[in-house]
């Protein structure tokens, strides 16, 4: 079978070390057709299509009851791949960049993307994540697999050449609310670097009556000096008399950016009456 032949060819491929959420990756690229089948092939080659490609400082990964941002050593190239036909193992893919070859990373619990918990690469495709140096020459950048290869678009190559920018991240909202008011949270992200780049954030909540639960994943691209505001309805602390009656939000960003925490409590009725 073709799959058995692929494994024999790629059994020595290195395996990488080893969740996008509220927004979707938007970089769409032209699919690369698989080469023609020779007479010696025992079955059709799979059709591999790269549908999205983005450069990010980290990826959102799920834990037991929360989500977090796992930062890249340098920068992540995150690809979304679809495979039609006989499946191709994740280990069959390799990426050439700046004179070196890289294998996809392995994440024990997969990725948290599009609100889905634990996305993994399967025989039908899925995410491929490569941990690359912070900068490097991208002229030789190529994704390869048995029977085909793909070249990143120029926009992705340009981002791979430049260092990722830094971001200033804040989380705001009311400190106290009255019943039945629904608090509004606001996340503000500012690109404080000299180049355009993408941020990625993970938001969790504790309380009321919840130890920990994911709220959402957020990512976007900003030009130098550009600011983006993200609003989201929060949870009211008025559930019952269980103490403490409060809600706490935990915002996690990639390394070197700003984590943030915001707590919302009920209005003290006695203090309100006295004033």
């Amino acid at each position: 079978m073709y799959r058995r032949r692929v494994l024999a060819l790629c059994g020595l491929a290195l395996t990488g070390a080893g969740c996008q959420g509220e927004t979707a990756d938007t970089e769409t690229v032209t699919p690369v057709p698989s080469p023609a089948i020779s007479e010696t092939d025992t079955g059709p080659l799979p059709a591999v299509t790269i549908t999205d490609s983005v450069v990010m400082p980290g990826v959102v990964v799920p834990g037991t009851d929360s989500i977090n941002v796992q930062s890249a050593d340098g920068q992540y190239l995150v690809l979304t791949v679809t495979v039609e036909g006989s499946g191709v193992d994740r280990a069959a893919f390799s990426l050439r960049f700046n004179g070196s070859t890289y294998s996809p990373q392995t994440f024990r619990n997969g990725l948290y993307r599009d609100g889905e918990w634990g996305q993994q690469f399967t025989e039908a495709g899925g995410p491929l994540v490569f941990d690359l140096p912070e900068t490097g020459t991208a002229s030789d950048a190529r994704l390869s697999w048995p029977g085909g290869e793909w070249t990143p678009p120029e926009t992705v190559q340009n981002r791979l050449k430049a260092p990722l920018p830094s971001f200033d991240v804040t989380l705001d909202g009311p400190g106290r609310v009255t019943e039945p008011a629904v608090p509004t949270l606001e996340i503000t992200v500012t690109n404080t670097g000299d180049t355009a780049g993408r941020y990625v954030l993970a938001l969790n909540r504790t309380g009321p009556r919840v130890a920990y639960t994911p709220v959402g994943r957020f990512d976007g691209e900003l030009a130098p000096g550009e600011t983006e505001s993200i609003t989201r309805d929060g949870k009211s602390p008025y559930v019952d008399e269980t103490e403490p009656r409060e809600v706490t939000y935990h915002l996690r960003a990639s390394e070197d950016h700003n984590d943030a925490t915001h707590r919302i409590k009920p209005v003290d009725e006695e203090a309100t009456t006295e004033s």
Side-chain angles (χ1 to χ4, degrees):
M1 298 294 292
Y2 171 73
R3 174 178 172 77
R4 186 172 300 167
R5 184 169 63 86
V6 168
L7 293 176
L9 290 172
C10 305
L12 299 179
L14 295 176
T15 301
C19 6
Q20 285 201 338
E22 299 305 314
T23 59
D25 293 334
T26 57
E27 188 75 50
T28 302
V29 297
T30 303
V32 178
S34 299
I37 304 169
S38 68
E39 295 181 357
T40 59
D41 289 323
T42 58
L45 288 169
V48 177
T49 304
I50 315 302
T51 58
D52 294 297
S53 57
V54 292
V55 179
M56 309 181 73
V59 292
V60 177
V61 296
T64 303
D65 55 4
S66 62
I67 55 178
N68 200 3
V69 176
Q70 180 163 326
S71 300
D73 292 334
Q75 56 185 341
Y76 281 133
L77 175 61
V78 182
L79 307 177
T80 302
V81 180
T82 60
V83 180
E84 296 180 4
S86 300
V88 178
D89 286 349
R90 180 188 60 82
F93 290 89
S94 63
L95 183 76
R96 185 73 174 174
F97 174 68
N98 199 38
S100 299
T101 301
Y102 298 85
S103 297
Q105 294 289 290
T106 298
F107 300 94
R108 183 180 63 181
N109 296 325
L111 302 184
Y112 184 90
R113 304 206 309 174
D114 304 323
E116 183 178 330
W117 192 278
Q119 285 193 8
Q120 300 271 16
F121 189 89
T122 67
E123 289 190 353
L128 288 178
V129 182
F130 295 90
D131 194 347
L132 305 177
E134 185 177 2
T135 61
T137 301
S139 59
D140 66 342
R142 298 287 188 280
L143 177 71
S144 301
W145 62 91
E149 68 174 25
W150 169 83
T151 301
E154 186 176 358
T155 54
V156 172
Q157 293 185 39
N158 289 337
R159 290 198 185 99
L160 288 171
K161 295 176 185 177
L164 287 165
S166 57
F167 294 91
D168 182 63
V169 183
T170 61
L171 173 62
D172 294 310
R176 292 182 181 272
V177 295
T178 58
E179 192 176 16
V182 176
T184 299
L185 297 171
E186 183 176 27
I187 302 170
T188 303
V189 187
T190 302
N191 183 341
T192 58
D194 298 325
T195 60
R198 184 173 290 270
Y199 65 86
V200 59
L201 306 169
L203 184 64
N204 297 283
R205 170 174 63 86
T206 59
R209 294 191 300 181
V210 172
Y212 235 97
T213 187
V215 175
R217 167 195 176 279
F218 307 92
D219 77 280
E221 185 170 349
L222 297 176
E226 185 178 4
T227 296
E228 181 175 357
S229 294
I230 304 165
T231 59
R232 187 177 182 89
D233 288 342
K235 189 77 172 179
S236 171
Y238 290 92
V239 174
D240 53 29
E241 297 302 322
T242 302
E243 298 293 339
R245 289 198 304 161
E246 62 182 40
V247 182
T248 304
Y249 288 90
H250 307 269
L251 185 65
R252 299 293 178 254
S254 56
E255 189 176 357
D256 296 332
H257 300 163
N258 307 93
D259 287 351
T261 300
H262 184 74
R263 182 174 288 106
I264 303 174
K265 297 182 178 182
V267 169
D268 187 326
E269 295 181 1
E270 293 184 3
T272 301
T273 301
E274 292 176 359
S275 61

